Amino acid sequence: MAATASEINPERSVLAYRDYRLYLSALFLGTLAIQVQSVAVSWQIYDLTHNPLALGYVGLFQFLPMVACTLPAGHAADRLDRRLILVVCYCLEALAAGIFLVLALSGQQGVWPFYAVLAMFGTARAFAGPAASSFVPLLVPLEHFPKAVAWNSSTFQTGVIIGPALGGAIYLLGPSVAYGVCMVLLLAVAAVIAAVKQRSRAHPPEADMTGLERLTAGISYVRSKPIILGAISLDLFAVLLGGATALLPVYARDILHVGPTGLGVLRSAPAVGAAVLGVVLGRTPLRRNAGPIMFVCVALFGVATIVFGMSQSFTLSIAALIVLGASDMVSVYVRATLIQLATPDAMRGRVSAVNRLFIGASNELGEFESGVTASWFGTVPAVVIGGIGTLLVVGIWSWRFFELRKVDRLEDAHHS
Protein backbone atom coordinates (compact mmCIF):
# COMPACT_ATOMS: atom_id res chain seq x y z
CA MET A 1 0.00 0.00 0.00
CA ALA A 2 1.10 3.55 -0.60
CA ALA A 3 0.10 4.67 2.87
CA THR A 4 -1.06 3.14 6.10
CA ALA A 5 -4.56 3.73 7.41
CA SER A 6 -3.28 6.21 9.96
CA GLU A 7 -1.63 8.27 7.21
CA ILE A 8 -4.76 8.57 5.07
CA ASN A 9 -6.51 11.89 5.39
CA PRO A 10 -9.25 12.62 2.83
CA GLU A 11 -8.42 16.35 2.99
CA ARG A 12 -4.69 15.82 2.50
CA SER A 13 -3.26 16.96 -0.81
CA VAL A 14 -2.27 14.18 -3.17
CA LEU A 15 0.99 16.08 -3.64
CA ALA A 16 1.89 15.32 -0.02
CA TYR A 17 3.01 11.81 -1.01
CA ARG A 18 6.70 11.72 -1.91
CA ASP A 19 6.56 8.88 -4.43
CA TYR A 20 3.67 10.47 -6.26
CA ARG A 21 5.49 13.82 -6.46
CA LEU A 22 8.44 12.02 -8.02
CA TYR A 23 6.18 10.26 -10.50
CA LEU A 24 4.47 13.53 -11.44
CA SER A 25 7.86 15.19 -11.99
CA ALA A 26 8.89 12.29 -14.22
CA LEU A 27 5.63 12.56 -16.18
CA PHE A 28 6.21 16.26 -16.84
CA LEU A 29 9.85 15.85 -17.89
CA GLY A 30 9.01 12.85 -20.06
CA THR A 31 6.20 14.72 -21.80
CA LEU A 32 8.51 17.66 -22.49
CA ALA A 33 11.13 15.32 -23.93
CA ILE A 34 8.62 13.58 -26.22
CA GLN A 35 7.20 16.88 -27.47
CA VAL A 36 10.65 18.37 -28.13
CA GLN A 37 11.74 15.22 -29.96
CA SER A 38 8.52 15.15 -31.99
CA VAL A 39 9.15 18.68 -33.23
CA ALA A 40 12.79 17.91 -34.05
CA VAL A 41 12.09 14.65 -35.89
CA SER A 42 9.20 16.14 -37.88
CA TRP A 43 11.15 19.20 -38.95
CA GLN A 44 14.27 17.23 -39.85
CA ILE A 45 12.42 14.59 -41.87
CA TYR A 46 10.46 17.25 -43.74
CA ASP A 47 13.71 19.13 -44.42
CA LEU A 48 15.16 15.94 -45.88
CA THR A 49 12.16 14.90 -47.98
CA HIS A 50 9.88 17.93 -48.53
CA ASN A 51 7.13 15.30 -48.66
CA PRO A 52 4.09 15.50 -46.33
CA LEU A 53 3.62 11.74 -46.64
CA ALA A 54 6.98 11.26 -44.93
CA LEU A 55 5.51 13.00 -41.89
CA GLY A 56 2.64 10.52 -41.86
CA TYR A 57 5.15 7.71 -41.46
CA VAL A 58 6.47 9.38 -38.30
CA GLY A 59 3.23 8.56 -36.51
CA LEU A 60 2.80 5.20 -38.23
CA PHE A 61 6.18 3.84 -37.15
CA GLN A 62 5.37 4.70 -33.54
CA PHE A 63 1.79 3.42 -33.66
CA LEU A 64 2.52 -0.01 -35.18
CA PRO A 65 4.78 -1.13 -32.28
CA MET A 66 2.02 -0.14 -29.86
CA VAL A 67 -0.43 -2.41 -31.66
CA ALA A 68 2.07 -5.27 -31.82
CA CYS A 69 3.19 -4.93 -28.19
CA THR A 70 -0.13 -4.24 -26.46
CA LEU A 71 -0.71 -7.74 -25.09
CA PRO A 72 2.92 -8.52 -24.12
CA ALA A 73 3.28 -5.08 -22.50
CA GLY A 74 0.19 -5.54 -20.37
CA HIS A 75 1.27 -9.04 -19.37
CA ALA A 76 4.72 -7.76 -18.38
CA ALA A 77 3.19 -5.01 -16.24
CA ASP A 78 1.31 -7.65 -14.23
CA ARG A 79 4.22 -10.07 -13.92
CA LEU A 80 7.19 -7.77 -13.27
CA ASP A 81 8.00 -4.79 -11.07
CA ARG A 82 6.31 -1.87 -12.85
CA ARG A 83 8.86 0.59 -11.51
CA LEU A 84 11.67 -1.45 -13.05
CA ILE A 85 9.83 -1.62 -16.39
CA LEU A 86 9.53 2.18 -16.42
CA VAL A 87 13.22 2.69 -15.64
CA VAL A 88 14.27 0.31 -18.44
CA CYS A 89 11.82 1.85 -20.93
CA TYR A 90 12.95 5.40 -20.26
CA CYS A 91 16.57 4.30 -20.64
CA LEU A 92 15.65 2.81 -24.02
CA GLU A 93 13.90 6.05 -24.99
CA ALA A 94 17.04 7.96 -23.98
CA LEU A 95 19.07 5.57 -26.14
CA ALA A 96 16.76 6.31 -29.07
CA ALA A 97 17.30 10.05 -28.55
CA GLY A 98 21.05 9.37 -28.45
CA ILE A 99 20.86 7.55 -31.80
CA PHE A 100 18.93 10.49 -33.26
CA LEU A 101 21.75 12.69 -31.99
CA VAL A 102 24.34 10.53 -33.77
CA LEU A 103 22.29 10.57 -36.99
CA ALA A 104 22.05 14.36 -36.85
CA LEU A 105 25.77 14.83 -36.16
CA SER A 106 26.72 12.41 -38.95
CA GLY A 107 24.66 14.33 -41.51
CA GLN A 108 22.42 11.37 -42.32
CA GLN A 109 20.38 12.16 -45.45
CA GLY A 110 18.19 9.04 -45.64
CA VAL A 111 14.98 8.87 -43.62
CA TRP A 112 14.71 5.12 -43.04
CA PRO A 113 17.22 5.11 -40.16
CA PHE A 114 15.00 7.70 -38.47
CA TYR A 115 11.95 5.50 -38.96
CA ALA A 116 13.80 2.52 -37.49
CA VAL A 117 14.68 4.52 -34.37
CA LEU A 118 11.08 5.76 -34.13
CA ALA A 119 9.93 2.11 -34.12
CA MET A 120 12.35 1.41 -31.26
CA PHE A 121 11.08 4.48 -29.43
CA GLY A 122 7.48 3.42 -30.01
CA THR A 123 8.20 -0.05 -28.63
CA ALA A 124 9.63 1.42 -25.42
CA ARG A 125 6.59 3.67 -25.04
CA ALA A 126 4.28 0.70 -25.66
CA PHE A 127 5.75 -1.15 -22.67
CA ALA A 128 5.97 1.96 -20.50
CA GLY A 129 2.30 2.90 -20.94
CA PRO A 130 0.56 0.00 -19.15
CA ALA A 131 3.26 -0.07 -16.47
CA ALA A 132 2.79 3.63 -15.72
CA SER A 133 -1.03 3.54 -15.70
CA SER A 134 -1.13 0.54 -13.36
CA PHE A 135 1.67 1.90 -11.13
CA VAL A 136 -0.09 5.13 -10.10
CA PRO A 137 -2.79 3.42 -7.95
CA LEU A 138 0.03 2.08 -5.78
CA LEU A 139 1.50 5.52 -5.10
CA VAL A 140 -1.50 7.10 -3.35
CA PRO A 141 -4.32 5.79 -1.14
CA LEU A 142 -7.61 4.85 -2.78
CA GLU A 143 -9.28 7.98 -1.41
CA HIS A 144 -6.83 10.17 -3.31
CA PHE A 145 -6.65 8.27 -6.58
CA PRO A 146 -9.25 10.41 -8.45
CA LYS A 147 -7.19 13.49 -7.55
CA ALA A 148 -4.06 11.76 -8.83
CA VAL A 149 -5.76 11.08 -12.18
CA ALA A 150 -6.66 14.77 -12.49
CA TRP A 151 -3.12 15.91 -11.62
CA ASN A 152 -1.68 13.41 -14.09
CA SER A 153 -3.83 14.74 -16.92
CA SER A 154 -3.19 18.38 -16.04
CA THR A 155 0.57 17.79 -15.84
CA PHE A 156 0.56 15.97 -19.16
CA GLN A 157 -1.45 18.73 -20.87
CA THR A 158 0.89 21.40 -19.46
CA GLY A 159 3.80 19.52 -21.02
CA VAL A 160 1.88 19.35 -24.30
CA ILE A 161 1.41 23.14 -24.21
CA ILE A 162 5.02 24.00 -23.33
CA GLY A 163 6.82 21.20 -25.18
CA PRO A 164 6.24 22.15 -28.84
CA ALA A 165 7.18 25.80 -28.27
CA LEU A 166 10.28 24.71 -26.35
CA GLY A 167 11.14 22.22 -29.08
CA GLY A 168 10.83 24.85 -31.78
CA ALA A 169 13.08 27.25 -29.89
CA ILE A 170 15.71 24.58 -29.22
CA TYR A 171 15.62 23.38 -32.83
CA LEU A 172 16.83 26.82 -33.92
CA LEU A 173 20.16 25.79 -32.39
CA GLY A 174 20.20 22.66 -34.54
CA PRO A 175 18.58 19.20 -34.44
CA SER A 176 21.57 17.74 -32.59
CA VAL A 177 20.97 20.15 -29.70
CA ALA A 178 17.29 19.17 -29.55
CA TYR A 179 18.13 15.45 -29.48
CA GLY A 180 20.80 16.02 -26.85
CA VAL A 181 18.30 17.83 -24.63
CA CYS A 182 15.81 14.98 -25.10
CA MET A 183 18.40 12.38 -24.13
CA VAL A 184 19.30 14.28 -20.95
CA LEU A 185 15.62 14.76 -20.02
CA LEU A 186 14.80 11.07 -20.54
CA LEU A 187 17.80 9.94 -18.49
CA ALA A 188 16.61 12.32 -15.76
CA VAL A 189 13.16 10.71 -15.92
CA ALA A 190 14.70 7.25 -15.49
CA ALA A 191 16.66 8.50 -12.47
CA VAL A 192 13.55 10.07 -10.90
CA ILE A 193 11.53 6.87 -11.34
CA ALA A 194 14.40 4.85 -9.86
CA ALA A 195 14.20 7.07 -6.76
CA VAL A 196 10.57 6.02 -6.14
CA LYS A 197 10.48 3.72 -3.11
CA GLN A 198 7.18 2.00 -3.89
CA ARG A 199 7.43 -1.37 -5.63
CA SER A 200 4.67 -3.27 -7.36
CA ARG A 201 4.08 -6.87 -6.46
CA ALA A 202 4.93 -9.42 -9.15
CA HIS A 203 1.74 -11.46 -9.43
CA PRO A 204 2.13 -15.18 -10.16
CA PRO A 205 0.59 -16.56 -13.37
CA GLU A 206 -3.01 -17.72 -13.09
CA ALA A 207 -2.81 -21.47 -12.65
CA ASP A 208 -6.15 -22.18 -14.31
CA MET A 209 -5.26 -20.38 -17.57
CA THR A 210 -3.20 -21.29 -20.59
CA GLY A 211 -0.43 -18.97 -21.74
CA LEU A 212 -2.64 -17.51 -24.47
CA GLU A 213 -5.51 -16.99 -22.03
CA ARG A 214 -3.21 -15.10 -19.65
CA LEU A 215 -1.96 -12.94 -22.50
CA THR A 216 -5.49 -12.04 -23.63
CA ALA A 217 -6.99 -11.88 -20.13
CA GLY A 218 -7.17 -8.08 -20.30
CA ILE A 219 -9.46 -8.24 -23.33
CA SER A 220 -11.64 -10.87 -21.66
CA TYR A 221 -11.85 -8.83 -18.45
CA VAL A 222 -12.86 -5.66 -20.30
CA ARG A 223 -15.56 -7.54 -22.20
CA SER A 224 -16.96 -8.95 -18.95
CA LYS A 225 -17.22 -5.57 -17.21
CA PRO A 226 -19.87 -3.27 -18.76
CA ILE A 227 -18.59 -0.25 -16.82
CA ILE A 228 -15.07 -0.60 -18.20
CA LEU A 229 -16.13 -1.60 -21.73
CA GLY A 230 -18.63 1.25 -21.87
CA ALA A 231 -16.12 3.86 -20.68
CA ILE A 232 -13.37 2.74 -23.08
CA SER A 233 -15.62 2.36 -26.13
CA LEU A 234 -17.44 5.65 -25.47
CA ASP A 235 -14.13 7.49 -25.63
CA LEU A 236 -13.05 5.52 -28.71
CA PHE A 237 -16.07 6.40 -30.83
CA ALA A 238 -16.51 9.94 -29.49
CA VAL A 239 -12.91 10.89 -30.37
CA LEU A 240 -13.02 8.84 -33.57
CA LEU A 241 -15.99 10.83 -34.86
CA GLY A 242 -15.16 14.18 -33.26
CA GLY A 243 -11.54 14.45 -34.41
CA ALA A 244 -11.72 18.11 -35.46
CA THR A 245 -8.16 18.87 -34.38
CA ALA A 246 -6.76 16.90 -37.32
CA LEU A 247 -8.18 19.56 -39.67
CA LEU A 248 -6.84 22.58 -37.78
CA PRO A 249 -4.32 23.48 -40.53
CA VAL A 250 -7.19 23.78 -43.02
CA TYR A 251 -9.15 26.04 -40.66
CA ALA A 252 -6.11 28.20 -39.91
CA ARG A 253 -5.24 28.74 -43.57
CA ASP A 254 -8.48 28.64 -45.55
CA ILE A 255 -11.37 29.34 -43.16
CA LEU A 256 -10.14 31.54 -40.30
CA HIS A 257 -7.18 32.99 -42.26
CA VAL A 258 -4.90 33.25 -39.23
CA GLY A 259 -1.74 31.66 -40.63
CA PRO A 260 0.88 29.56 -38.82
CA THR A 261 0.77 31.67 -35.65
CA GLY A 262 -2.97 31.22 -35.36
CA LEU A 263 -2.54 27.51 -35.98
CA GLY A 264 -0.26 27.31 -32.98
CA VAL A 265 -2.89 29.03 -30.84
CA LEU A 266 -5.61 26.71 -32.11
CA ARG A 267 -3.48 23.63 -31.37
CA SER A 268 -2.83 24.83 -27.82
CA ALA A 269 -6.45 25.73 -27.01
CA PRO A 270 -7.74 22.19 -26.21
CA ALA A 271 -4.70 21.51 -24.01
CA VAL A 272 -5.30 24.78 -22.14
CA GLY A 273 -8.89 23.79 -21.40
CA ALA A 274 -7.83 20.31 -20.29
CA ALA A 275 -4.97 21.56 -18.12
CA VAL A 276 -7.09 24.16 -16.30
CA LEU A 277 -9.91 21.74 -15.59
CA GLY A 278 -7.37 19.12 -14.55
CA VAL A 279 -6.10 21.45 -11.83
CA VAL A 280 -9.70 22.09 -10.71
CA LEU A 281 -10.44 18.36 -10.49
CA GLY A 282 -7.14 17.79 -8.71
CA ARG A 283 -8.24 20.15 -5.96
CA THR A 284 -11.98 19.40 -6.03
CA PRO A 285 -12.64 15.90 -7.40
CA LEU A 286 -16.07 14.71 -8.45
CA ARG A 287 -18.01 13.52 -5.42
CA ARG A 288 -21.30 12.31 -6.92
CA ASN A 289 -23.01 11.54 -10.25
CA ALA A 290 -19.75 10.60 -12.00
CA GLY A 291 -21.47 8.52 -14.70
CA PRO A 292 -24.08 11.10 -15.73
CA ILE A 293 -21.47 13.87 -15.67
CA MET A 294 -19.25 11.83 -17.97
CA PHE A 295 -22.05 11.42 -20.52
CA VAL A 296 -22.95 15.13 -20.32
CA CYS A 297 -19.33 16.14 -20.90
CA VAL A 298 -18.92 13.82 -23.89
CA ALA A 299 -22.10 15.37 -25.30
CA LEU A 300 -20.58 18.81 -24.64
CA PHE A 301 -17.49 17.61 -26.54
CA GLY A 302 -19.76 16.93 -29.52
CA VAL A 303 -21.49 20.31 -29.24
CA ALA A 304 -18.14 22.11 -29.02
CA THR A 305 -17.01 20.22 -32.13
CA ILE A 306 -20.10 21.40 -34.03
CA VAL A 307 -19.61 25.02 -32.90
CA PHE A 308 -15.96 24.94 -33.93
CA GLY A 309 -16.84 23.38 -37.27
CA MET A 310 -19.33 26.14 -38.12
CA SER A 311 -17.35 29.05 -36.65
CA GLN A 312 -15.76 31.68 -38.86
CA SER A 313 -14.58 33.72 -35.87
CA PHE A 314 -11.09 33.10 -34.51
CA THR A 315 -12.19 34.03 -30.98
CA LEU A 316 -15.22 31.74 -31.05
CA SER A 317 -13.10 28.93 -32.49
CA ILE A 318 -10.59 29.24 -29.65
CA ALA A 319 -13.40 29.24 -27.10
CA ALA A 320 -14.96 26.14 -28.67
CA LEU A 321 -11.63 24.31 -28.61
CA ILE A 322 -11.04 25.24 -24.96
CA VAL A 323 -14.48 23.85 -24.07
CA LEU A 324 -13.71 20.77 -26.19
CA GLY A 325 -10.48 20.14 -24.27
CA ALA A 326 -12.09 20.76 -20.89
CA SER A 327 -15.01 18.42 -21.55
CA ASP A 328 -12.65 15.74 -22.84
CA MET A 329 -10.64 16.15 -19.64
CA VAL A 330 -13.68 15.19 -17.55
CA SER A 331 -14.22 12.11 -19.71
CA VAL A 332 -10.55 11.12 -19.35
CA TYR A 333 -10.70 11.69 -15.60
CA VAL A 334 -13.79 9.54 -15.04
CA ARG A 335 -12.68 6.81 -17.45
CA ALA A 336 -9.15 6.50 -16.08
CA THR A 337 -10.40 6.42 -12.49
CA LEU A 338 -13.10 3.85 -13.17
CA ILE A 339 -10.77 1.55 -15.09
CA GLN A 340 -8.12 1.45 -12.37
CA LEU A 341 -10.54 1.19 -9.44
CA ALA A 342 -12.73 -1.45 -11.08
CA THR A 343 -9.73 -3.65 -11.90
CA PRO A 344 -7.81 -5.81 -9.40
CA ASP A 345 -4.09 -5.07 -9.24
CA ALA A 346 -3.21 -8.45 -10.77
CA MET A 347 -5.07 -7.40 -13.96
CA ARG A 348 -4.33 -3.67 -14.11
CA GLY A 349 -1.40 -3.95 -16.49
CA ARG A 350 -3.31 -5.96 -19.08
CA VAL A 351 -6.46 -3.86 -18.80
CA SER A 352 -4.40 -0.65 -19.03
CA ALA A 353 -2.78 -1.99 -22.20
CA VAL A 354 -6.20 -2.56 -23.79
CA ASN A 355 -7.28 0.95 -22.77
CA ARG A 356 -4.17 2.53 -24.26
CA LEU A 357 -4.69 0.63 -27.50
CA PHE A 358 -8.24 2.02 -27.71
CA ILE A 359 -6.93 5.54 -27.05
CA GLY A 360 -4.23 5.21 -29.69
CA ALA A 361 -6.70 3.80 -32.20
CA SER A 362 -9.20 6.61 -31.55
CA ASN A 363 -6.55 9.29 -32.08
CA GLU A 364 -4.93 7.76 -35.16
CA LEU A 365 -8.14 6.53 -36.79
CA GLY A 366 -9.89 9.76 -35.81
CA GLU A 367 -7.40 11.76 -37.86
CA PHE A 368 -7.85 9.36 -40.75
CA GLU A 369 -11.65 9.55 -40.49
CA SER A 370 -11.54 13.35 -40.47
CA GLY A 371 -9.35 13.41 -43.56
CA VAL A 372 -11.57 10.96 -45.45
CA THR A 373 -14.85 12.70 -44.60
CA ALA A 374 -13.31 16.12 -45.39
CA SER A 375 -12.31 14.83 -48.84
CA TRP A 376 -15.85 13.49 -49.36
CA PHE A 377 -18.03 16.27 -47.96
CA GLY A 378 -15.74 19.25 -47.41
CA THR A 379 -13.99 20.41 -44.24
CA VAL A 380 -16.84 22.18 -42.44
CA PRO A 381 -19.47 19.48 -43.11
CA ALA A 382 -16.99 16.80 -42.04
CA VAL A 383 -16.41 18.41 -38.65
CA VAL A 384 -20.12 19.11 -38.09
CA ILE A 385 -21.05 15.54 -39.06
CA GLY A 386 -18.41 14.26 -36.64
CA GLY A 387 -19.88 16.32 -33.80
CA ILE A 388 -23.39 15.06 -34.58
CA GLY A 389 -22.02 11.52 -34.65
CA THR A 390 -20.55 12.04 -31.18
CA LEU A 391 -23.97 13.10 -29.86
CA LEU A 392 -25.52 9.97 -31.38
CA VAL A 393 -22.88 7.82 -29.72
CA VAL A 394 -23.67 9.42 -26.36
CA GLY A 395 -27.35 8.62 -26.78
CA ILE A 396 -26.75 5.01 -27.81
CA TRP A 397 -24.13 4.36 -25.12
CA SER A 398 -26.26 5.88 -22.34
CA TRP A 399 -28.97 3.36 -23.27
CA ARG A 400 -26.69 0.38 -23.92
CA PHE A 401 -24.36 0.80 -20.92
CA PHE A 402 -26.83 1.81 -18.24
CA GLU A 403 -24.45 0.51 -15.53
CA LEU A 404 -21.97 3.22 -16.55
CA ARG A 405 -24.71 5.85 -16.60
CA LYS A 406 -25.70 4.88 -13.05
CA VAL A 407 -22.23 5.26 -11.52
CA ASP A 408 -22.47 7.72 -8.63
CA ARG A 409 -19.27 7.86 -6.57
CA LEU A 410 -16.12 6.81 -8.42
CA GLU A 411 -14.97 4.89 -5.35
CA ASP A 412 -18.04 2.65 -5.66
CA ALA A 413 -16.45 1.04 -8.70
CA HIS A 414 -13.61 -0.33 -6.57
CA HIS A 415 -13.42 -4.11 -6.87
CA SER A 416 -14.18 -6.02 -3.69
Side-chain angles (χ1 to χ4, degrees):
M1 294 291 293
T4 64
S6 61
E7 293 174 317
I8 298 174
N9 178 355
E11 301 304 320
R12 186 180 186 186
S13 170
V14 70
L15 300 179
Y17 299 96
R18 172 190 176 275
D19 282 350
Y20 180 68
R21 290 199 306 272
L22 289 174
Y23 174 84
L24 208 60
S25 301
L27 175 62
F28 179 70
L29 294 176
T31 303
L32 281 184
I34 291 171
Q35 294 298 320
V36 170
Q37 181 172 283
S38 177
V39 169
V41 170
S42 297
W43 273 106
Q44 190 170 15
I45 286 180
Y46 192 69
D47 280 343
L48 293 173
T49 65
H50 301 287
N51 183 359
L53 181 60
L55 295 177
Y57 288 129
V58 170
L60 181 65
F61 276 91
Q62 295 179 83
F63 177 69
L64 291 179
M66 183 184 73
V67 175
C69 297
T70 291
L71 297 181
H75 190 265
D78 286 335
R79 295 290 171 261
L80 305 174
D81 181 2
R82 293 162 187 164
R83 170 184 159 276
L84 178 61
I85 292 175
L86 289 173
V87 171
V88 171
C89 287
Y90 279 115
C91 286
L92 288 176
E93 291 181 23
L95 176 61
I99 298 175
F100 279 134
L101 173 59
V102 172
L103 292 175
L105 291 174
S106 65
Q108 173 66 40
Q109 296 299 305
V111 294
W112 286 106
F114 288 92
Y115 293 145
V117 180
L118 284 171
M120 169 187 168
F121 188 79
T123 301
R125 291 189 66 189
F127 276 87
S133 298
S134 53
F135 191 43
V136 176
L138 304 178
L139 302 180
V140 297
L142 171 64
E143 289 80 356
H144 289 300
F145 182 67
K147 291 183 179 180
V149 171
W151 278 108
N152 286 356
S153 297
S154 181
T155 300
F156 172 78
Q157 295 294 347
T158 301
V160 169
I161 295 169
I162 298 173
L166 180 63
I170 295 175
Y171 193 85
L172 294 176
L173 303 175
S176 59
V177 177
Y179 296 135
V181 170
C182 291
M183 183 176 65
V184 171
L185 285 175
L186 290 168
L187 287 174
V189 172
V192 171
I193 294 294
V196 173
K197 294 179 180 180
Q198 179 67 37
R199 305 289 191 272
S200 64
R201 185 165 65 90
H203 299 281
E206 293 87 352
D208 57 343
M209 292 184 180
T210 65
L212 180 60
E213 287 173 338
R214 295 188 195 108
L215 197 63
T216 59
I219 298 174
S220 300
Y221 188 84
V222 168
R223 291 179 60 187
S224 69
K225 300 293 182 181
I227 288 179
I228 298 179
L229 178 60
I232 291 178
S233 57
L234 175 64
D235 177 80
L236 168 64
F237 287 103
V239 175
L240 180 65
L241 295 172
T245 54
L247 300 174
L248 287 181
V250 181
Y251 273 85
R253 188 186 67 178
D254 300 330
I255 297 176
L256 301 175
H257 307 290
V258 293
T261 302
L263 175 60
V265 175
L266 292 173
R267 284 191 179 277
S268 297
V272 170
V276 171
L277 198 63
V279 172
V280 173
L281 290 171
R283 295 184 177 277
T284 311
L286 291 180
R287 301 295 185 187
R288 305 297 300 269
N289 300 314
I293 288 174
M294 179 182 184
F295 278 103
V296 168
C297 286
V298 176
L300 185 59
F301 178 92
V303 172
T305 299
I306 295 172
V307 172
F308 171 78
M310 299 179 66
S311 171
Q312 295 186 354
S313 163
F314 186 48
T315 302
L316 178 60
S317 297
I318 293 173
L321 289 174
I322 290 175
V323 172
L324 184 148
S327 57
D328 185 52
M329 172 67 222
V330 176
S331 174
V332 169
Y333 166 82
V334 175
R335 184 185 73 250
T337 305
L338 285 176
I339 290 171
Q340 295 299 329
L341 294 185
T343 306
D345 188 62
M347 289 290 301
R348 277 182 178 144
R350 284 167 286 183
V351 172
S352 295
V354 174
N355 180 44
R356 293 184 70 86
L357 178 61
F358 271 63
I359 293 171
S362 65
N363 291 332
E364 298 292 336
L365 294 179
E367 293 184 4
F368 177 72
E369 178 271 339
S370 296
V372 170
T373 53
S375 66
W376 287 350
F377 308 115
T379 300
V380 172
V383 174
V384 173
I385 290 171
I388 294 173
T390 297
L391 294 177
L392 292 175
V393 167
V394 171
I396 295 171
W397 259 243
S398 64
W399 165 73
R400 174 65 180 80
F401 296 97
F402 61 89
E403 297 94 338
L404 178 61
R405 192 183 69 239
K406 288 183 176 180
V407 172
D408 186 16
R409 298 171 65 251
L410 290 171
E411 293 81 358
D412 293 341
H414 187 245
H415 60 91
S416 61

